[in-house]
Amino acid sequence: DTAVSQTPKYLVTQMGNDKSIKCEQNLGHDTMYWYKQDSKKFLKIMFSYNNKELIINETVPNRFSPKSPDKAHLNLHINSLELGDSAVYFCASSRVGRENNEQFFGPGTRLTVL
Amino acid sequence: QKEVEQNSGPLSVPEGAIASLNCTYSDRGSQSFFWYRQYSGKSPELIMFIYSNGDKEDGRFTAQLNKASQYVSLLIRDSQPSDSATYLCAVNSGGSNYKLTFGKGTLLTVNP
């Protein structure tokens, strides 16, 4: 199936741990994103990579580190997890043109920090 | 601060009615406008995009854009209970095609 996929779907962990979320897209897109959706459902961009190059880095704690090994993959590593990191993390991808940036989202990873 | 504003709702309409969802944005340089639908517990799903002033129709959905008023709307005709979801307005911002700024969403409930 053509899609944006994420693993794991659910992640429950203790404060202070380090965890990673993986994302893969087989849509042939050149740009990938990580978004955070908090308990109030507000969806906010964290990072974006275009052809493996970091192009958006919003005000995110440096405990969050994205890594793009190739155009089809964008992983998110989180160090020293805190309670406030609990949220749903969505990966997305797009092919960016002069006018358009239609982003397609993965199913999300629900992170719960205890 | 570049912002996208939506009425959080809930907006409740009877089945078969027209649902009207509104969005305003602050960045005059924005060029691309998107409507996403998000069912509870699911990921956002793109349903419409519009780049030019005026109306764009796709099935029961019509997007309307007025760049002078910095206003974009989504009309859903013949609303169905399956349209009940949160609708997110997204706008490219910061002079970048890469960055989308999302509104907080409007919860729509279509009553049978």
Side-chain angles (χ1 to χ4, degrees), chain A residues 2-50:
Chain A
T2 55
V4 181
S5 59
Q6 293 179 231
T7 54
K9 193 169 170 64
Y10 299 97
L11 190 50
V12 180
T13 189
Q14 299 286 334
M15 262 193 337
N17 284 350
D18 304 338
K19 290 293 178 186
S20 291
I21 309 171
K22 295 187 175 183
C23 178
E24 176 180 0
Q25 57 93 6
N26 60 3
L27 297 166
H29 290 164
D30 56 6
T31 306
M32 297 184 72
Y33 311 81
W34 277 112
Y35 285 87
K36 178 180 180 181
Q37 189 168 46
D38 59 25
S39 57
K40 294 183 180 178
K41 309 299 183 189
F42 187 37
L43 191 63
K44 196 164 176 1
I45 182 77
M46 299 173 68
F47 302 103
S48 177
Y49 273 75
N50 173 255

Side-chain angles (χ1 to χ4, degrees), chain B residues 6-7 9-13 17-23 35 62 64 71-77 79 87 106-108 110:
Chain B
Q6 293 182 256
N7 188 330
L11 173 65
S12 184
V13 300
I18 295 176
S20 177
L21 303 158
N22 305 316
C23 173
W35 283 100
T62 299
Q64 299 175 316
Y71 174 90
V72 58
S73 65
L74 179 70
L75 301 178
I76 307 175
R77 288 182 299 282
S79 295
Y87 289 80
T106 298
L107 176 61
L108 172 66
V110 180

Side-chain angles (χ1 to χ4, degrees), chain A residues 44-80:
Chain A
K44 196 164 176 1
I45 182 77
M46 299 173 68
F47 302 103
S48 177
Y49 273 75
N50 173 255
N51 288 317
K52 302 195 297 174
E53 181 183 342
L54 181 65
I55 54 170
I56 295 175
N57 185 353
E58 291 295 285
T59 310
V60 177
N62 58 15
R63 298 181 295 104
F64 291 78
S65 52
K67 185 168 285 188
S68 181
D70 56 57
K71 285 199 301 183
H73 296 85
L74 180 61
N75 303 324
L76 183 65
H77 187 77
I78 316 171
N79 289 327
S80 303

